[in-house]
Amino acid sequence: MSPSVGRANNAETVSDSPVAAFLFDLIQDVSVLRPIIRTLALRGDLEFVFLMSRQFEGRDKQWIWRAEIDELARDFDARLVRFETPLGAVQDLYGRRGILFSASESNLTAHAVNHHVFLSAPPSFVRVTVQHGYECVGFNQNREQTLAHGTAVRFAADILCGWVPRERLRHLCPSERDKYVELGPPMVLNRLFDQRDVRVPRDTGLVCENLHSVRMRTVGEFQSTYLATLLEFSGEQIKSKRKVAVRPHPGGQFLLKNRVELPQNVVLANKPMYKTDLGGFIFGISAPSSVLIDMVLAGIPTAVWSDRGSLIDTTSYAGLAKVTTTEDWTAFADEAAADPEPFLARQRIFLRRSGLDIEPNLIASRLSGLVDGILGRWRTADAGPQIGSRAQPKRVLLVANGIIPTLHISFLKPLAGLASAGALKIFTITEKEILAADAAAKRSGSGSAADFVRKMIDDARPDVAVFCRYSGPEVQTMAEHLRQAGVPVIFHIDDDLLNVPKELGEKKFLEHNRSERTSTVRYLLDNADFVYCSTPRLRQRFVDIGISRDMFAGSIYCSGEVVSEAENRAVRTIGFMGNDKTPELTALVPVLVETLRSHPDVRFELFGSMAMPPEFEEFGDRITATPPVSDYDSFVAKFRTLRWDIGLCPLHQTPFNVVKADTKWVDYTSIGAAVIASRDTAYDAACADGCGLLVDTLEDWKAAIDALIADPGQRFKQVTAAQVKLRERYSLERLTEQVLSVFDEATAEFSRASAEELLVDGSMAA
């Protein structure tokens, strides 16, 4: 198939399919957008349009990257449009609907073309800016970028797709944060396609030049220094009978433009990175640049260049080997050729700490979910309300006692991608707001809490309402008002809130067992249109106490992703996360004391609100207590920094505990900790298949801890298996699908019940 090439003002017959349009203005746009194009092509439901600026053709002096765009256009039957002006780029998109992607869009001068195209885009297109580098203006900037561009970078995009979790972004402006979606590094998607057709001799190392970069000129003039070192090093490599492949930056092409004379053992590697077998090089060296990430992912020893005074900011690449002088370069090349493993081990740690998700299927799933969310919005607009449609509901009301962890885990997190994509809007009502409204009404002598919740519901105009673990006031008022508006009511519950035990603490026991709260819980269990239990055991508990209605039990409660990859290392830290008075930890104190005495290199860390047991005082700084973090996003960010080797999940076999979810296993596994858990509680299924150790007695706990300390290889094998299970069974995508299915089923059930009521009423009238 050949591409359709034309000007933006060509009038052509177009299909009704959604459009995926891609902007090409800078040379590096091709490398970022190409894997996204190839991945989305697998869907088969999008029409592709490539928008190429006049400046792009001027920059591509050797016609390398235009050939790549032509190849993509042929492969996917894309229409290629050359444009002179921003309005000319999008002229043919008016009257269509779709997504407009750019890999270089911001309010900076260098990105002005794509920025103004976004500003000119029709409102029927969702504008998506993709982070184009590991260090990227407006996302995470190096010092030189900040000096050159400041910290007020803004975007015209509706959605910003970045490489790392939002809490790791240092330079994303507050006004842009709600646009952000974690995608991951797009180049990882290239692993899904076998495109590396440039083979590399095994006697060749790779050096990348980034000499045109702003960072080479902002705090000093380093172009000549780097170039001189490169040439001298290449000459030295002749003695070792090695070749040096030098890769000019695709956008700068400094060596070619300046016609630099190169030593005889130097070859130019000017093919696209995604078509080069990087794994064939014996080492890689570069000035600070995203190409270092490519080299690390390819599994070759990688070094970052730094100037003699360490003026250039290399902090984003801390942990990689660092080279400065010719002697450093040569020593690194010799060591990498002789034994690459020490470098690769350092790089595995670097990747783990970077926050980058490098699983191509995960990134592909995130991308597909984002596009599904955007397309779902149009399907709703085109087809109207559809019971059971994945595009429904469009507006979700969440009612909870507060913005509690359960609300984050069960709804805010799995729905965040769809909300960012505009596929749905989320509204909340909290008990605190209702109580405040009630107090205000009593002070003023007018209105009521009931009036407040009715107005909140009317303003939200929800398609579905979820009472998440709710036990507060005005439940009947809200439920009846929602039904009158034709809105299905879902009750989500993740604990047996009718029987909260004293072991959780006197305060919680008294508060949860107040008759007002248990009455609310029972009302929702009996009267909600749909009951969504967190675990099958919790559903069975409610059946056992006489609740005979149909109830749904989720197969997944808490989603997780691998933050720290499994690593074969000695055990140094045992950790426990918990809150309030935790009798399970108290019971384990003698075991932990004995462990710490017999293993002087091992530490214990506590994360949560419980007090540190006094028995640990003898161990001094080998014991760490991290206080609780009330804000959920901050809690997650802090937890992800922990470096635990073993995570403890003790849980007494009480009726309340055995219906809980396996959240701790998910959290511990995500940071690379091996799990030891109490048998016959919440963790049996998660720990099965070698993914955790299940224990009964205190002697079992001690034996399990000792076994993992004694055999790091077995610990590594266990964590590796657990992380495979985490990716397969506990993914965010699975939880999102489950939540959407609950919404669909609740909507369908509500519709059936409403139809039956109409039939009954009609019969009575007759």
Side-chain angles (χ1 to χ4, degrees):
M1 294 180 290
S2 60
S4 171
V5 182
R7 296 287 175 180
N9 58 1
N10 283 357
E12 299 181 14
T13 302
V14 293
S15 73
D16 227 7
S17 299
V19 173
F22 297 85
L23 275 165
F24 297 98
D25 179 56
L26 301 182
I27 296 298
Q28 47 266 48
D29 292 346
V30 180
S31 295
V32 180
L33 296 179
R34 182 181 184 277
I36 293 175
I37 293 167
R38 294 185 64 83
T39 304
L40 293 183
L42 299 175
R43 299 171 57 94
D45 61 347
L46 295 168
E47 176 187 334
F48 289 115
V49 175
F50 297 166
L51 305 173
M52 185 171 63
S53 73
R54 174 179 53 80
Q55 291 91 329
F56 180 92
E57 292 186 295
R59 294 178 175 116
D60 187 21
K61 301 295 185 185
Q62 297 177 298
W63 212 251
I64 293 173
W65 300 98
R66 171 59 197 270
E68 293 296 311
I69 294 176
D70 285 345
E71 180 180 79
L72 283 172
R74 285 193 300 270
D75 288 346
F76 305 118
D77 199 24
R79 187 162 58 93
L80 179 57
V81 175
R82 302 184 187 92
F83 66 89
E84 300 278 344
T85 65
L87 186 58
V90 298
Q91 186 171 322
D92 278 1
L93 299 183
Y94 279 87
R96 304 296 304 280
R97 51 197 171 88
I99 313 171
L100 181 57
F101 288 92
S102 170
S104 54
E105 184 275 315
S106 75
N107 62 349
L108 299 182
T109 301
H111 300 156
V113 170
N114 287 351
H115 187 64
H116 285 98
V117 170
F118 268 26
L119 293 173
S120 304
S124 56
F125 274 74
V126 174
R127 303 161 298 180
V128 178
T129 292
V130 182
Q131 181 177 341
H132 59 264
Y134 186 46
E135 298 172 291
C136 187
V137 289
F139 292 85
N140 267 338
Q141 300 177 181
N142 55 59
R143 184 172 65 248
E144 292 78 36
Q145 287 172 324
T146 299
L147 289 172
H149 306 303
T151 58
V153 179
R154 299 290 191 275
F155 303 89
D158 302 298
I159 298 171
L160 302 173
C161 288
W163 289 22
V164 294
R166 185 171 64 178
E167 57 267 19
R168 285 179 174 260
L169 296 178
R170 303 185 306 275
H171 298 97
L172 188 64
C173 291
S175 62
E176 307 291 338
R177 295 186 71 81
D178 288 342
K179 300 178 181 180
Y180 186 79
V181 175
E182 181 189 359
L183 176 64
M187 73 273 197
V188 172
L189 294 169
N190 287 319
R191 297 188 195 177
L192 300 173
F193 314 100
D194 185 15
Q195 293 294 323
R196 298 190 171 180
D197 54 13
V198 179
R199 301 300 169 187
V200 178
R202 285 300 302 169
D203 62 350
T204 305
L206 176 65
V207 176
C208 294
E209 61 99 330
N210 195 25
L211 296 177
H212 79 295
S213 170
V214 64
R215 70 190 314 161
M216 300 295 277
R217 305 186 304 274
T218 300
V219 295
E221 186 54 55
F222 297 117
Q223 290 176 325
S224 58
T225 303
Y226 187 84
L227 181 58
T229 307
L230 164 59
L231 297 177
E232 187 177 350
F233 165 74
S234 300
E236 287 292 319
Q237 290 300 290
I238 295 175
K239 301 174 184 177
S240 302
K241 298 182 179 179
R242 297 192 195 109
K243 296 184 179 68
V244 177
V246 177
R247 184 174 189 270
H249 188 280
Q253 298 285 319
F254 184 91
L255 294 176
L256 296 176
K257 290 178 181 177
N258 292 277
R259 300 185 180 182
V260 176
E261 186 175 347
L262 301 172
Q264 62 185 24
N265 67 324
V266 172
V267 295
L268 284 179
N270 214 16
K271 285 281 188 178
M273 188 71 79
Y274 50 79
K275 288 188 174 179
T276 301
D277 181 18
L278 288 179
F281 292 107
I282 54 178
F283 62 81
I285 298 173
S286 177
S289 167
S290 295
V291 74
L292 289 160
I293 304 297
D294 290 285
M295 294 189 220
V296 168
L297 292 176
I300 62 173
T302 302
V304 57
W305 175 80
S306 176
D307 61 284
R308 287 180 182 271
S310 297
L311 295 177
I312 288 182
D313 183 5
T314 62
T315 53
S316 292
Y317 306 99
L320 300 183
K322 186 180 289 189
V323 295
T324 299
T325 64
T326 302
E327 291 74 20
D328 295 339
W329 289 42
T330 302
F332 167 71
D334 290 344
E335 292 170 17
D339 184 9
E341 182 52 37
F343 296 102
L344 301 183
R346 290 176 63 176
Q347 290 164 204
R348 287 192 290 269
I349 295 172
F350 166 80
L351 278 179
R352 187 185 67 244
R353 293 176 177 173
S354 69
L356 294 171
D357 282 323
I358 58 173
E359 290 294 323
N361 287 317
L362 173 62
I363 295 171
S365 179
R366 287 174 177 169
L367 177 61
S368 182
L370 176 69
V371 173
D372 280 344
I374 295 170
L375 297 183
R377 178 173 61 184
W378 296 320
R379 292 186 186 120
T380 304
D382 292 346
Q386 302 171 44
I387 297 301
S389 165
R390 178 57 67 236
Q392 291 288 331
K394 195 173 182 180
R395 302 168 74 87
V396 179
L397 174 64
L398 302 175
V399 183
N401 292 349
I403 307 301
I404 55 177
T406 298
L407 194 67
H408 278 280
I409 292 168
S410 302
F411 296 100
L412 296 180
K413 182 180 177 182
L415 297 178
L418 293 170
S420 295
L424 56 81
K425 290 188 176 181
I426 296 175
F427 305 86
T428 60
I429 301 175
T430 65
E431 180 181 9
K432 183 178 180 180
E433 292 172 323
I434 297 172
L435 294 176
D438 184 58
K442 289 176 179 176
R443 286 194 302 269
S444 66
S446 63
S448 65
D451 293 336
F452 169 78
V453 295
R454 291 191 192 100
K455 184 177 187 306
M456 292 284 283
I457 291 169
D458 291 342
D459 289 345
R461 293 178 287 109
D463 297 295
V464 69
V466 180
F467 288 75
C468 177
R469 195 186 162 93
Y470 187 68
S471 60
E474 300 297 338
V475 63
Q476 188 166 348
T477 300
M478 288 187 279
E480 290 178 353
H481 194 67
L482 286 162
R483 287 202 186 91
Q484 290 171 8
V487 180
V489 172
I490 299 169
F491 182 37
H492 175 255
I493 185 165
D494 65 341
D495 274 324
D496 181 1
L497 296 178
L498 295 176
N499 298 283
V500 175
K502 283 188 176 180
E503 67 190 51
L504 295 187
E506 189 71 17
K507 183 178 179 181
K508 279 194 172 183
F509 171 74
L510 293 175
E511 181 63 24
H512 282 290
N513 285 288
R514 284 170 45 203
S515 60
E516 301 96 322
R517 293 203 179 278
T518 55
S519 296
T520 293
V521 172
R522 187 65 201 226
Y523 175 86
L524 287 168
L525 283 170
D526 291 338
N527 295 283
D529 300 300
F530 193 89
V531 175
Y532 173 18
C533 300
S534 59
T535 68
R537 281 183 169 182
L538 181 59
R539 178 181 60 187
Q540 186 59 46
R541 165 63 48 77
F542 291 136
V543 171
D544 293 342
I545 64 175
I547 297 174
S548 58
R549 62 168 299 161
D550 289 338
M551 290 174 283
F552 173 84
S555 62
I556 173 177
Y557 170 71
C558 177
S559 68
E561 56 275 342
V562 175
V563 176
S564 299
E565 293 283 348
E567 185 180 343
N568 193 350
R569 64 183 187 239
V571 171
R572 290 291 178 264
T573 305
I574 300 172
F576 175 81
M577 175 174 60
N579 295 296
D580 303 308
K581 296 178 180 178
T582 308
E584 291 85 2
L585 179 64
T586 303
L588 280 185
V589 166
V591 170
L592 292 170
V593 168
E594 186 178 349
T595 298
L596 292 169
R597 286 173 178 168
S598 57
H599 299 282
D601 292 333
V602 173
R603 306 173 63 257
F604 177 70
E605 290 187 1
L606 197 60
F607 185 33
S609 60
M610 78 290 290
M612 182 68 73
E615 292 89 339
F616 289 152
E617 290 179 2
E618 68 175 273
F619 302 106
D621 60 5
R622 292 170 60 198
I623 303 295
T624 302
T626 301
V629 181
S630 57
D631 176 73
Y632 182 76
D633 288 337
S634 299
F635 159 79
V636 171
K638 178 62 180 176
F639 184 77
R640 286 183 168 191
T641 67
L642 301 177
R643 186 176 167 82
W644 291 356
D645 302 298
I646 297 173
L648 306 178
C649 295
L651 201 62
H652 288 168
Q653 294 176 5
T654 65
F656 186 80
N657 284 343
V658 297
V659 302
K660 282 181 165 292
D662 49 13
T663 308
K664 275 196 179 73
W665 180 92
V666 172
D667 291 337
Y668 293 168
T669 299
S670 73
I671 63 169
V675 173
I676 307 175
S678 299
R679 191 187 309 276
D680 294 329
T681 58
Y683 303 106
D684 291 40
C687 289
D689 310 311
C691 297
L693 298 179
L694 294 169
V695 294
D696 296 296
T697 65
L698 292 180
E699 290 75 16
D700 293 340
W701 278 100
K702 182 65 168 62
I705 294 171
D706 286 342
L708 291 177
I709 294 174
D711 191 348
Q714 183 58 37
R715 192 201 73 88
F716 173 68
K717 182 179 178 182
Q718 177 181 317
V719 177
T720 300
Q723 291 187 338
V724 170
K725 180 180 287 187
L726 184 73
R727 290 187 174 102
E728 292 178 350
R729 303 186 192 178
Y730 293 82
S731 70
L732 181 61
E733 291 74 23
R734 280 198 69 203
L735 181 55
T736 300
E737 181 65 25
Q738 177 174 288
V739 172
L740 294 178
S741 295
V742 165
F743 291 171
D744 286 350
E745 290 185 36
T747 302
E749 179 61 34
F750 181 78
S751 179
R752 285 192 294 269
S754 298
E756 290 173 2
E757 288 181 13
L758 287 173
L759 287 174
V760 171
D761 291 344
S763 298
M764 293 176 63

